[in-house]
Amino acid sequence: NTIAPILLAREFVARLPATDTGQIISMLDWRALRPPTDHLVYTASRAALTSITLTLAQQLAPQLRVNGIALGAILAPAGREDWHQQRAQKQIPLRRHGTPENVVSALRFLIRNDFMNGEILQVTGGEHL
């Protein structure tokens, strides 16, 4: 969750012509900023990716914009669809999980808005609150 995004960003910058602009959008996890007590290594690596995203936004501007989308409950784990739905109804203010279309909508928003840099959109149904 940390090394690969750094290497990919470095290669993207190296190959992007100096006269072109571009953007990087990281897929993040909202728990990176409110870590649970379990999954230490995963949460720490996702928090690092959030920090990398914000740092790259500063380092690579104005040629590249760097933003993130922090995901909440979108797809149910295989075989745990009922658990996923029950958890959503109890823990997510919108009382439902998100859809891949919700993620695509956020992605399109970031792509189209050329004045956003260093932003993290929370696609969580309010669970991050």
Side-chain angles (χ1 to χ4, degrees):
N1 289 326
T2 56
I3 302 300
I6 292 170
L7 296 176
L8 287 168
R10 183 176 67 188
E11 286 300 312
F12 184 39
V13 170
R15 295 168 191 246
L16 187 67
T19 57
D20 287 353
T21 61
Q23 61 185 301
I24 295 170
I25 300 174
S26 301
M27 300 314 270
L28 307 170
D29 188 320
W30 71 270
R31 288 175 206 85
L33 300 177
R34 289 189 47 212
T37 58
D38 55 352
H39 308 297
L40 172 66
V41 174
Y42 170 80
T43 304
S45 70
R46 299 308 283 185
L49 181 55
T50 299
S51 179
I52 291 164
T53 299
L54 297 175
T55 302
L56 287 174
Q58 295 174 72
Q59 288 181 349
L60 301 179
Q63 186 179 21
L64 288 172
R65 295 183 297 114
V66 183
N67 295 293
I69 299 174
L71 300 177
I74 304 297
L75 297 175
R80 299 189 69 192
E81 291 79 9
D82 289 340
W83 168 85
H84 187 65
Q85 185 60 34
Q86 290 172 5
R87 189 183 80 74
Q89 290 175 353
K90 291 178 186 174
Q91 296 179 354
I92 299 174
L94 292 183
R95 303 292 182 242
R96 61 184 172 84
H97 56 81
T99 66
E101 290 77 19
N102 297 130
V103 179
V104 170
S105 178
L107 186 62
R108 284 185 178 137
F109 176 75
L110 288 174
I111 290 169
R112 291 178 179 152
N113 191 322
D114 67 356
F115 198 62
M116 293 190 78
N117 185 48
E119 297 294 338
I120 297 175
L121 297 183
Q122 305 286 334
V123 182
T124 67
E127 189 175 13
H128 70 284
L129 300 172

